[in-house]
Structure formats: structure tokens, C-alpha cells
Amino acid sequence: MNEYNKVSVILALNKLDEFTFPAINSVLLSQNIEFQLVIICNGKNNLLISNSIKKEFPKDSRIKYINTPIGQLSFSLNLGISESDYKYIARMDADDICSEYRLAKQYAYMIENNLDLVGSDIYLINEKSETIGERIYPRKNKIKKTLIKKSPFCHPSVMFKKSLALESGAYNAGFKSEDYDFWIRLQKSKKIRWDNIEEKLLYYRIHDNSTQGDPLAYAEVSSYFWREFLMSGSLNYLYSFSLNSIKHIYARLIQKK
């Protein structure tokens, strides 16, 4: 296989827990595609983290380690993208489980449909890895319409062209919603070609440390849409700003109870 057709999976983490090794192992079990796993160990304990992973997965040449003391996710993801060796980038989180055919299926779907980015539907799992639900994401033209109300992609399920990230500035905002800002900036391009594959290819874990319903995430998304409203004057962006501001207030009230 031509090296430009391989996939670089980027996974950033600043701690180790009971979910880390199963997440990494699920990527390493990927079938029918050549890939590398780029692990960005960040924060003050980055060396301890990378050494622990190396002990668990010794001599696996498919793993590329990057260390940085800067414990910020957006920075780490951009660092991983810039240091990745291949043309296609797949995201992965350190507490989720990747289907063994996820990479191969998404890559094939991107090539067949000439896409820049593709996500997938997902299963929801709990701390015991029990399936507790599922999420279906919008297809094709419905993606931009959905973006006004909520994120149209499950971030750790996406695969995209490295060139797309480099040309668009990739992740440049947010501590809890860096992906949403990425989608907003991408949707302004009339040339963007994206979709969600109609298959559940990721097991997304819901647990106490998840960012689901985080007030900060809603506050950040509100700021993105306010920025876009000021730049364009579009009432759609003003609506999205208002909607996420309300979600932020509600999440804060829930958090205080």
C-alpha cells in the first residue's frame, strides 16, 4: 500500500486510568488497513505516562510517541497532526473503544465518495463497557443544518485529510469544545465535502469525567457563534449564540444542585 494511503490515528492524554490501555489496544487491533498510532502525552506527567504505555505495548513500531509538558488538548492535537506521517488523520480518545474495522471502513468511504472528512454513528457505553445506548448523526446536506443547533459529528469518531487541518488552522480554540469550533470554520467553505457513515464504528464511553453537559463547553460554543455573528451578521449565528447561552445557564444551575 502506498504510504500516502495509510492513516495516522492521533490520541492525546494527560493521565492514565483503567480505560487507557483498552482504548489503545482497540486501535492496535484494527484490521485491513495500514496505520500508525500517534500518542501525544501531555502535561507535567507526560514522561511517566509515555513510559508506562511503552511497558504495556513494548516494541510496537506502529506507535509513535510525542511528549509535551503543555497540558492543553487543542495544542496536543495540532502537535499530533503536524507530526503525523500520513495523509489521513483519525481521531481517538483515551477512554473509548474503536471497532476493529473502523479505520478501514472510514478510509474506504472517504475514497469512494471523495470526502474531506467523515464521522460515524456510535454506541454509548458505561464504565463497565456495557452498551447503554446509541447516537445517530446527520448525513450529507443535513450536517450544516444540524451545526446551528448542535455538533454534527462525534469528535473521536472522525477521520479527515491532514491537508484539510493544515489549511484551515485545525484546532485553535476551546478547552472543552475545540472540535465544534473546527466544524464551524470548516462549514463556511463551499468546497467542504463531509459525511457520517451510516454505521456504528466507535464505542463512546460515558462516565463521571466525561465532558457531556459541561457548562464551559456551552459557554465556549456560545462565544464561537457570537464571533461568527459579529463577522457575518447572520441571524442563524445569533440564534445559535442564544441557544447555547441558555444551555450554559441551565447546565450551571444543574451543576449547583
Side-chain angles (χ1 to χ4, degrees), residues 29-248:
L29 291 174
S30 296
Q31 301 293 311
N32 298 346
I33 193 167
E34 294 185 53
F35 66 93
Q36 69 172 168
L37 174 58
V38 182
I39 300 179
I40 309 97
C41 304
N42 61 78
K44 62 181 180 180
N45 296 320
N46 67 90
L47 292 177
L48 175 63
I49 293 170
S50 60
N51 287 334
S52 297
I53 296 174
K54 288 175 183 178
K55 289 181 181 179
E56 184 71 17
F57 303 97
K59 300 180 180 179
D60 196 319
S61 60
R62 297 172 300 176
I63 303 179
K64 181 175 185 177
Y65 295 92
I66 300 175
N67 288 80
T68 174
I70 300 176
Q72 209 276 336
L73 181 57
S74 294
F75 174 83
S76 296
L77 295 179
N78 287 337
L79 182 61
I81 291 170
S82 65
E83 295 297 321
S84 293
D85 296 326
Y86 304 130
K87 183 177 178 180
Y88 294 90
I89 304 291
R91 275 285 289 114
M92 180 67 185
D93 278 346
D95 54 358
D96 298 330
I97 299 294
C98 183
S99 163
E100 62 181 340
Y101 294 106
R102 172 203 163 187
L103 300 181
K105 289 184 175 182
Q106 286 189 297
Y107 172 76
Y109 193 80
M110 286 190 70
I111 298 302
E112 291 169 4
N113 295 279
N114 193 27
L115 298 175
D116 300 306
L117 182 150
V118 65
S120 78
D121 295 335
I122 61 173
Y123 288 109
L124 302 177
I125 58 175
N126 60 18
E127 294 182 350
K128 298 179 180 179
S129 296
E130 299 167 332
T131 301
I132 56 175
E134 60 183 40
R135 281 188 191 155
I136 308 299
Y137 287 85
R139 319 287 180 213
K140 305 183 185 303
N141 295 334
K142 292 183 179 180
I143 290 175
K144 286 190 176 183
K145 295 179 181 179
T146 301
L147 185 67
I148 297 297
K149 298 180 180 180
K150 60 182 180 180
S151 177
F153 298 103
C154 172
H155 187 201
S157 82
V158 299
M159 179 183 290
F160 51 83
K161 291 181 179 178
K162 180 177 180 177
S163 60
L164 177 73
L166 297 179
E167 292 167 5
S168 65
Y171 303 97
N172 66 10
F175 290 91
K176 299 288 186 178
S177 59
E178 69 288 333
D179 56 319
Y180 211 147
D181 177 63
F182 191 19
W183 316 147
I184 292 171
R185 286 183 286 108
L186 287 177
Q187 65 89 26
K188 293 190 290 185
S189 171
K190 294 181 180 179
K191 297 181 180 179
I192 185 69
R193 295 162 297 188
W194 53 13
D195 200 358
N196 279 298
I197 190 169
E198 195 171 354
E199 189 170 353
K200 301 173 192 68
L201 298 176
L202 184 81
Y203 294 81
Y204 184 88
R205 196 179 301 277
I206 304 293
H207 55 89
D208 291 341
N209 295 323
S210 300
T211 58
Q212 299 288 304
D214 192 306
L216 177 57
Y218 292 129
E220 289 176 350
V221 174
S222 294
S223 71
Y224 305 152
F225 282 117
W226 181 248
R227 175 195 67 201
E228 297 302 321
F229 170 67
L230 293 177
M231 293 174 63
S232 69
S234 171
L235 293 180
N236 283 335
Y237 291 134
L238 182 59
Y239 164 78
S240 299
F241 163 75
S242 302
L243 178 64
N244 283 280
S245 295
I246 292 172
K247 290 180 179 179
H248 166 67

Side-chain angles (χ1 to χ4, degrees), residues 14-26:
N14 58 17
K15 65 178 181 179
L16 294 174
D17 56 30
E18 68 269 31
F19 308 128
T20 305
F21 294 152
I24 292 173
N25 191 56
S26 73

